[in-house]
């Protein structure tokens, strides 16, 4: 499962909750979290693991943060190989969290069975849903943080994305992307 979305959409928090749910159901979960590398120093914070404290202590979970090291597309040069190694190592669910910073960070969509775009409610320009790029390859658009005062904006952005996705060409005869 590939997951992407803008900064602040709650990707790491979602992965921790979803990953814990899966391990409680006796799945072995691997998380490959990709962080951007600095164009100045080449370094990377690799902080996603620190936001998944419970999952990182779970014996049925493995979390591997990796830097992009200049690779474009939201993944690392070796993400596909890392997915195969995790599957070969007995992990039956592999979650790949991309850098997630724009319309073109969706290389992971070709590496996974399902590509999920996580969006926060009231995330800005309502026309984001009809822009080409990442939305065209999403199998599922999940509006995250849809509680409290954000319920109404979440429902509005959901309706906008449902409408926008009707304008996109179908990629599959058996699956229609959901919002």
């Amino acid at each position: 499962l590939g997951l992407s979305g803008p900064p602040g959409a709650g990707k790491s928090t979602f992965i921790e909750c979803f990953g814990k749910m899966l391990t409680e159901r006796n799945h072995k979960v691997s998380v490959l979290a990709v962080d951007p590398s600095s164009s100045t120093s080449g370094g990377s914070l690799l902080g996603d693991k620190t936001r998944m404290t419970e999952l990182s202590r779970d014996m049925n979970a493995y979390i591997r943060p990796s830097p992009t090291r200049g690779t474009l597309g939201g993944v690392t040069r070796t993400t596909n190989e890392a997915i195969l190694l995790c599957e070969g190592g007995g992990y039956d669910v592999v979650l790949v969290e991309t850098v997630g910073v724009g319309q073109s960070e969706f290389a992971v969509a070709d590496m996974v069975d399902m590509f999920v775009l996580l969006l926060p409610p009231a995330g800005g320009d309502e026309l984001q849903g009809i822009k080409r790029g990442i939305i065209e390859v999403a199998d599922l658009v999940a509006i995250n943080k849809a509680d409290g005062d954000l319920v109404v904006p979440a429902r509005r952005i959901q309706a906008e994305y449902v409408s926008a996705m009707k304008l996109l060409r179908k990629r599959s005869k058996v699956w229609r992307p959901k919002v």
Side-chain angles (χ1 to χ4, degrees):
L1 183 72
L3 295 122
S4 192
K11 295 180 295 291
S12 296
T13 304
F14 174 83
I15 289 171
E16 173 155 70
C17 292
F18 187 55
K20 286 297 293 175
M21 182 196 76
L22 290 168
T23 60
E24 288 167 4
R25 294 179 181 181
N26 297 318
H27 289 280
K28 287 191 70 182
V29 177
S30 175
V31 177
L32 303 173
V34 182
D35 280 339
S37 297
S38 167
S39 57
T40 306
S41 69
S44 186
L45 290 176
L46 303 178
D48 288 316
K49 188 172 183 175
T50 63
R51 288 193 294 266
M52 300 178 208
T53 53
E54 285 185 46
L55 190 60
S56 68
R57 290 190 298 261
D58 192 315
M59 295 305 293
N60 287 317
Y62 168 73
I63 301 173
R64 171 67 182 176
S66 299
T68 59
R69 292 195 176 104
T71 302
L72 300 177
V75 293
T76 71
R77 186 178 51 79
T78 58
T79 296
N80 200 47
E81 290 84 354
I83 291 170
L84 295 173
L85 281 170
C86 290
E87 289 173 340
Y91 292 94
D92 59 324
V93 178
V94 179
L95 306 174
V96 182
E97 178 184 357
T98 73
V99 168
V101 289
Q103 298 270 347
S104 62
E105 276 73 23
F106 54 82
V108 73
D110 292 329
M111 302 175 191
V112 296
D113 296 320
M114 178 174 248
F115 179 58
V116 179
L117 176 60
L118 272 159
L119 297 172
D125 184 356
E126 286 78 14
L127 296 176
Q128 292 297 322
I130 58 174
K131 289 185 178 177
R132 301 300 188 231
I134 198 166
I135 196 69
E136 290 180 305
V137 297
D139 297 306
L140 178 69
V141 176
I143 312 301
N144 203 15
K145 301 182 178 183
D147 58 353
D149 292 341
L150 296 175
V151 170
V152 172
R155 294 223 170 127
R156 187 182 73 245
I157 200 164
Q158 177 189 21
E160 290 167 359
Y161 271 81
V162 167
S163 294
M165 292 183 84
K166 290 178 185 174
L167 303 174
L168 301 176
R169 186 170 12 135
K170 293 179 182 128
R171 293 188 348 233
S172 169
K173 293 179 182 177
V174 296
W175 177 257
R176 294 192 86 166
K178 309 284 187 224
V179 180

